[in-house]
Amino acid sequence: MKIVVCAKFVPDATADRRFRPEDSTVDRAGVDGLLSELDEYAVETALTVKEAGDAEVTILTVGPDQAADAVKKGLQMGADAGVHVLDDAIHGSDAVATSLILSKALARLEADLVVFGMSSTDGAMGVVPAMVSERLGLPAVTLGSEVTVDGQTVRIRRDGDTASDTIEGTLPLVLSVSDQANEPRYPSFKGIMAAKKKPVETWSLADLEIAPDQVGGASAWTEVVEVTARPPRTAGTIVTDDNGSGAAELVEFLSTNKFL
């Protein structure tokens, strides 16, 4: 079985994230980045399936030079190979263009099982798995909190607010998993060293037969027209209770600010 995990390189949520002043796109080169945390659950799912049977896991990412770190993390966790789609024309692509690039790469990889996280931690849209499944003409079972692969059948449990559904499909298909699906493993020292010898290919848009005008900011369906920095946090209000009036002052404060 050929399993491909679609992994995204995202700005570190704890870093000073910002937009590029020249085009108001997310600055991915000037800030620290890493493999999207939610995609680690997808990697773990793929590795669990691999360990239960005969499978090969490939990490696929689309992004700038630094996105190679997302592939590296997946290889360190235990994946077998990586593919990095790298092209200057990709900059500014939206979810629609990203799904086109991924679908072309997945078709070339001849994936049997495509695994996504539930969404990215930067865009937080969660629509790309469905878009990719539509482009590839494959069924999709999404937001799995529990995943079972039995031969050609993939079965998931999807947990909602009031009930859980059991959904299944037949390979080849697109799967996405939630952050409840498993506990991602930490790369071991052995895994980190082994990752250095694993094959990683770099593909361009030309390799995928995609014209530059099909992707990038110029073809995006949305545009950021203005960016305003969040104002600095002001000092909070401290209510003291020196003379026994603290409770009344606290209630007044909460009432005035409509917290009650």
Side-chain angles (χ1 to χ4, degrees), residues 114-130:
V114 181
V115 190
F116 286 87
M118 60 191 294
S119 69
S120 63
T121 54
D122 55 350
M125 297 181 68
V127 299
V128 173

Side-chain angles (χ1 to χ4, degrees), residues 45 48-49 144-149 154-157 175-177 181:
T45 296
T48 301
V49 174
S145 298
E146 181 180 281
V147 179
T148 303
V149 178
V154 177
R155 182 178 298 105
I156 70 167
R157 189 191 76 238
L175 164 71
S176 74
V177 297

Side-chain angles (χ1 to χ4, degrees), residues 36 50 81 140 142-143 159 161 169 182 189 226 246:
S36 177
K50 170 189 171 181
T142 57
L143 301 178
D159 296 328
D161 293 334
N182 50 55
F189 178 76
E226 184 179 0

Side-chain angles (χ1 to χ4, degrees), residues 3 5 13-14 22 24 29 46 54 80 88 96 101 115 124 129 144 149 157 162-163 180 208 215 221 229-230 260:
I3 306 174
V5 180
T14 63
E22 58 268 36
S24 295
D54 184 17
D80 302 292
D88 289 342
V96 177
I101 299 168
V115 190
V149 178
R157 189 191 76 238
T162 59
Q180 302 299 311
L208 300 177
V215 300
W221 288 37
R230 179 184 296 176
L260 290 179

